[in-house]
Amino acid sequence: MAKQYGPTDIKESALDLIGNTPLIALDRIWSGPGRILAKCEFMNPGASIKDRSSLSMIKRALNSGQLKPNGPIVEVTSGNQGCGLAVVSAVLGHPLTLTMSAGNSPQRASMMRALGANVVLAPQVEGKPGNVTLADVTQAENLGLKLVEDTGAYYVNQFNNDDNSKAHEEATGPEIWRQTGGRIDAFLATVGTAGTFAGVSRYLKKQNKDIVCVVVEPAGAEVIKGDPVTKPLHLLQGSGYGKVPQLFKFDTMDSTLGVSDEEAVHYKELLGSKEGLYLGYTSGANVAAAVKLLQSGKLPKDAWVVTLLNDSGLKYPADV
C-alpha cells in the first residue's frame, strides 16, 4: 500500500520569497491615539524592499526581449537594489555587475558579492563613509554607463525604469489594502528612486482618494517639499539625493515631512529595543514621520497610518 502524505508547501526558488511581507503593528513605540502599521520589507530574501522592483524590472525586460536569457546585467546602486538584483540574477542565471559609491555601507557590497555579483566601487568625490551625495551617485552612474558601453550589457536604470514603480502598484499597494481590510488613513515613505512611493500611492489613491500620502525626506535635503538643499550629507542611504526623481509624480502626494538624522537614529533604536526589530535608518525615519503625522492632529484620532520597514540593520556599520 502506497504511503499517504499530507499537503506540501515548498517554494521553488528565492524568487517565490519576494513580496507578501507581513504587516506589523508598532504598538510598543506608539500606543495611540491612532495606530502605526508597518510592512516588514526586510523579510524579503535580499533583506530589503528593493527585491520587489528587482524582480519586476528583470522579468519585464526578459518578456520584452530587452534582456536575453542568461544575458549580462549592469546596474548602479546604493546597495539594496543591487542585493535584490543579485538575488534575482543568481536564480535566473544572469552575470551581474554592480557599481556603487565607496561611501555606501561595505556590508551591502559584501552581501552582493556573496550572491555572485561583481561589485565595482566608485571613489567618493564629495561625501564621506555613510553619507553619500548626488555627486557620489553620479560618479557611480558614470562608471556603470561606461561598463554598459564597453560590454553591451542590459542596463536596469532603476531611477528611470517605469517597471520599478509598477512592482509596487501591482503588489505592494494591493497587499497593504488587503492586509488593512481597506482601513487606511495615511501612507508614508522615504523616497530614493520614488518607485515605491509612486506605485503604492497610485494604487491606494485609486481605492480611496482621501488616503493621505506623505513623502518622508531627510531634514536639509527636502527638494520634493521645494526647499533648497542645506544638508546633502545625511544618514538616509538610498534616499534624499537632492533632486526630484524622474519616477516621482506630485499628483499622488498630499504633503511632505522632514526627519533629522537624530530622529531617524532615535526611532531606529526604538524599533530594536521596543519592537525587537533591527532595521536601517530609513525605517527609523519612516516611523519618526508616522509619529509626527499622528501628533499633528491632521488625521482622525483613530487613524491607521501605514509605512515601510525598508531594510535590515545588518546592512549598516554598527557606528556611523
Side-chain angles (χ1 to χ4, degrees), residues 164-182:
N164 177 345
S165 58
K166 285 177 184 175
H168 301 288
E169 185 173 7
E170 295 176 1
T172 318
E175 287 173 31
I176 290 170
W177 185 255
R178 183 181 71 250
Q179 289 169 319
T180 59

Side-chain angles (χ1 to χ4, degrees), residues 181-297:
R183 180 183 171 182
I184 169 173
D185 296 277
F187 168 72
L188 302 95
T190 50
V191 169
T193 64
T196 301
F197 182 84
V200 173
S201 62
R202 194 155 55 227
Y203 177 83
L204 292 177
K205 288 286 192 182
K206 287 178 181 175
Q207 311 313 307
N208 178 359
K209 62 180 176 56
D210 294 328
I211 294 173
V212 176
C213 294
V214 179
V215 164
V216 180
E217 296 190 280
E222 298 173 68
V223 292
I224 293 174
K225 181 182 178 182
D227 288 353
V229 176
T230 58
K231 189 183 177 185
L233 296 180
H234 54 79
L235 290 178
L236 306 190
Q237 290 187 47
S239 81
Y241 286 128
K243 71 173 184 178
V244 178
Q246 180 69 29
L247 296 178
F248 185 79
K249 301 292 183 285
F250 284 92
D251 60 344
T252 59
M253 182 196 83
D254 292 290
S255 63
T256 70
L257 280 169
V259 174
S260 69
D261 284 351
E262 293 75 20
E263 289 169 325
V265 170
H266 177 65
Y267 281 94
K268 174 186 183 297
E269 291 174 349
L270 286 180
L271 281 162
S273 63
K274 287 188 174 290
E275 301 287 356
L277 300 171
Y278 183 45
L279 305 168
Y281 295 97
T282 56
S283 299
N286 280 340
V287 175
V291 170
K292 285 185 175 186
L293 183 60
L294 284 166
Q295 288 175 332
S296 71

Side-chain angles (χ1 to χ4, degrees), residues 13 23 67 93-94 109 113 115 118 137 155 243 250 258 285 290 295:
S13 78
L23 188 69
L67 172 63
H94 293 276
R113 290 186 177 114
L115 290 165
N118 174 36
V137 175
Y155 180 44
K243 71 173 184 178
F250 284 92
Q295 288 175 332

